[in-house]
Amino acid sequence: MGEWARSTFNRGRPAGTTLTSRSVEGFVTATLVFCIGPMGILGSLQDGLGQGNDQLIVKAILDGFTALALSASFGFAVAGGAAVVLVYQGLLTVLGWWLGGLLPPAELNVLDATGGIILMALGLRLAGIARLAVAEMVPALVLAPVGVVIVGLVT
């Protein structure tokens, strides 16, 4: 996607004003940093479920400072990651809204508890207390509600 954007924006531009491969690297790096992680997933789902947008606000502040640092290295192309984040988190918010009307309270409660555990693990990792593989915990957001359904069917 980054290479496509570079070739599209460079079409018809004078030689000194074209985007470089470094710009593409900045766009890809920013997109990955802003989109990968439990705060964006959990925050968007909680916002869609009507539980508030506090996590998204904290994530936006952290992403803003990260964007400043990345822009110093990669330039303006880092701002392109904002469009990807808008689509990504918007779709997750819509998914949360849809799940809120679809899932019973037991599945929503286990989803909320699982998200809390993942956020706690992220906090421990950021504080340097424990080296936990937080990204590997994200599939639990799908598995936990499925586990509640299976337990409900068995009992």
Side-chain angles (χ1 to χ4, degrees), residues 14-90:
T17 62
T18 59
L19 293 174
T20 63
S21 293
R22 184 96 172 127
S23 299
V24 172
E25 184 182 347
F27 170 75
V28 171
T29 301
T31 301
L32 289 174
V33 167
F34 299 151
C35 290
I36 295 176
M39 284 185 81
I41 296 170
L42 293 174
S44 299
L45 288 175
Q46 285 187 340
D47 185 32
L49 291 169
Q51 297 175 355
N53 59 0
D54 298 341
Q55 289 179 23
L56 287 180
I57 292 171
V58 171
K59 182 185 180 315
I61 293 169
L62 291 172
D63 286 351
F65 284 113
T66 304
L68 289 174
L70 289 174
S71 294
S73 297
F74 295 110
F76 185 73
V78 170
V84 177
V85 170
L86 177 70
V87 171
Y88 170 74
Q89 289 183 338

Side-chain angles (χ1 to χ4, degrees), residues 42-52 92-93 95-101 103 108 111-112:
L42 293 174
S44 299
L45 288 175
Q46 285 187 340
D47 185 32
L49 291 169
Q51 297 175 355
L92 286 174
T93 300
L95 177 67
W97 173 80
W98 182 69
L99 286 175
L103 293 177
L108 291 175
L111 183 66
D112 193 35

